[in-house]
Amino acid sequence: MPQRFQNFIDGRWQDPKSEKWFDRENPATGETLGTFPDSGRNDVGDAVAAAVKAQAEWQRTPAPHRGEILFRAAEMMVARKEELSREVTTEMGKVLKEARGDVQEAIDMTYYMAGEGRRQFGHVVPSELPDKFAMAVRQPHGVVAAITPWNFPLAIPSWKLMPALVAGNTVVFKPSPYSPLSAYNIVRILEEVGLAPGVVNLVFGEDDTGAALVEDPRVGMVSFTGSMEVGREIAAYCGRHGKRVHLEMGGKNAIIVLDDADVELALEGAVWSAFGTTGQRCTAASRLIVQRGLMAEFSDRLMARASTLRLGNGLDDSVEMGPVVNQPQLQKVESYVGIGVEEGATIACGGSRLKDGELAKGYFFPPTVFADVKPKMRIAQEEIFGPVTDLIACASLEEAVAVNNDVPYGLVTSIYTRDVTKAFKAMEGITTGIVYVNAGTIGAEVHLPFGGTKGTGNGHREAGIAALDSYSEWKTVYVDYSGRLQKAQIDR
Ligand code: NAD
């Protein structure tokens, strides 16, 4: 019998009042991993009430002490890294090596935010008046709703929970129904290291559960990572209700390869960035913009590598690419391949799901490369979120940058060149939130801001100090010790 999981509300694991449940399967084998609550509005309401009740006390807990609890959570993740990683692989399919990276990112973020407990710097500046003290300090929003996707089951929740907590917020966490096991694991760890009841609450569920959470008037801030379509719906609701909202959404990221590039390095970066996590990363390279002089060599060598990547269950060490996460995602990839063909692009390798042998039980789609892609085709503009990448030819650096920027998203760009002038010109002209020079589109580190422009975000950033700006607001405090009425701007 698969294990039955419960929600975590006010420090207690409990069945959902909705009395509804859903199953999650292993996308590589089809086997059921567990049964999870499909929470309703009552469950969400209880979780928010618990978070409201716990918030004042948590905010009064000195930030360094809040940080110490996170430090202990990071230590526990280190001790359980292998077990956590295997569960990431079994629930969403990424290969074990990458799952370990997912867990390591959560560890890094948790240690980093633990340190921020002693480093929530504000501003102290001279006042324009005598005998007056002027400063700005951070204050939490209150209750934060954390709504997450499935592609980084442990890392993304840690990007939200850890800065929200260290800043003094309490949290209601609604993970993706496709990665509930890791959500359970991270909350279990926070419980075990002694977080007080109500400080973090976990409600499992589908999209309606997320909507109920967004709409609860007691939630002060919504932090969402997921698709642009859902993010914009949430933003519209929050806009109408004056609610704080932080969005991290999709990408249509490109690698630019100039004629003078180190081809071997660029190829390695392209294969890793296009097909790592089966292309299901917001940072995946789904466009390869290659200068004409190098196109023939680059595309031949790319296809040779892509078509020999070994597919299978990510728990097998020799496997290089796992399955797509679920049936709808597989259908989405198939439909975009059809769209690409209709638009006149050529399938250079891959292109149809694996239907024979052991792998037929899972959602396996091979690495797929489209050649002859024009920048305005739908496959070059819309996020596919699967192992599909496009080869787009360009004449110059200027054209490559223009093509790169001309998409609805703005997360990551990378450029391969040996010419430092071109690298700096690209850095200046590229409009995405993240730029890599001579590295693929994957590889963000937790102590720098992460996020994107245009359809990728709404101006906030995850990670780094920027995360604290999302999870707190500035409170400016003036202390006048002159003993008389002083008037700013008037007494001069
Ligand atoms: P999704 O938008 O379908 O769902 C994300 C989360 O939102 C899930 O928990 C879902 O249940 C919930 N949800 C759905 N509808 C909702 C609603 N109306 N109100 C409230 N919550 C709702 O996305 P997904 O398929 O889980 O994830 C893939 C997407 O996430 C891709 O577009 C990818 O690019 C993006 N992503 C972005 C980043 C980033 O940092 N920019 C990182 C990872 C993934």
Side-chain angles (χ1 to χ4, degrees), residues 146-152 156 159-160 174-178 205-215 222 224-231 233-234 247-251 280-283 325-326 329 332 383 385 409 411 450-452 456-457 462:
I147 301 178
T148 58
W150 44 265
N151 65 333
F152 278 85
I156 292 180
W159 291 2
K160 298 191 184 304
K174 205 301 281 178
S176 166
Y178 299 109
E206 312 261 354
D207 302 351
D208 289 350
T209 312
L213 182 55
V214 169
E215 288 165 19
V222 177
F224 167 84
T225 298
S227 61
M228 185 169 72
E229 294 70 26
V230 173
E233 246 178 73
I234 291 177
L247 306 173
E248 295 293 336
M249 302 176 286
Q280 303 170 116
R281 286 188 181 228
C282 51
T283 53
V325 71
N326 56 32
Q329 197 60 36
K332 185 176 174 195
E383 185 184 51
F385 222 57
Y409 297 98
L411 187 52
F450 179 95
T456 297
E462 207 102 69

Side-chain angles (χ1 to χ4, degrees), residues 278-300:
T278 320
Q280 303 170 116
R281 286 188 181 228
C282 51
T283 53
S286 54
R287 296 180 299 155
L288 307 172
I289 305 172
V290 184
Q291 206 170 355
R292 288 217 161 78
L294 206 60
M295 183 54 108
E297 180 190 352
F298 187 85
S299 60
D300 285 352

Side-chain angles (χ1 to χ4, degrees), residues 332-391:
K332 185 176 174 195
V333 172
E334 284 176 329
S335 107
Y336 269 105
V337 170
I339 290 168
V341 171
E342 267 171 38
E343 289 179 308
T346 316
I347 297 177
C349 72
S352 52
R353 86 171 280 194
L354 304 186
K355 296 197 185 93
D356 301 321
E358 256 310 281
L359 298 190
K361 285 191 208 139
Y363 304 121
F364 288 94
F365 200 92
T368 297
V369 178
F370 268 118
D372 308 318
V373 178
K374 301 284 173 282
K376 284 294 189 186
M377 288 179 177
R378 283 183 63 193
I379 55 166
Q381 290 283 322
E382 297 171 18
E383 185 184 51
I384 300 174
F385 222 57
V388 181
T389 195
D390 304 333
L391 283 165

Side-chain angles (χ1 to χ4, degrees), residues 8 16 18 23 64 82 186 304 325 360 417 458 470:
F8 186 64
S18 68
D23 288 341
E82 198 52 26
I186 195 168
V325 71
T417 176
N458 64 338
S470 293

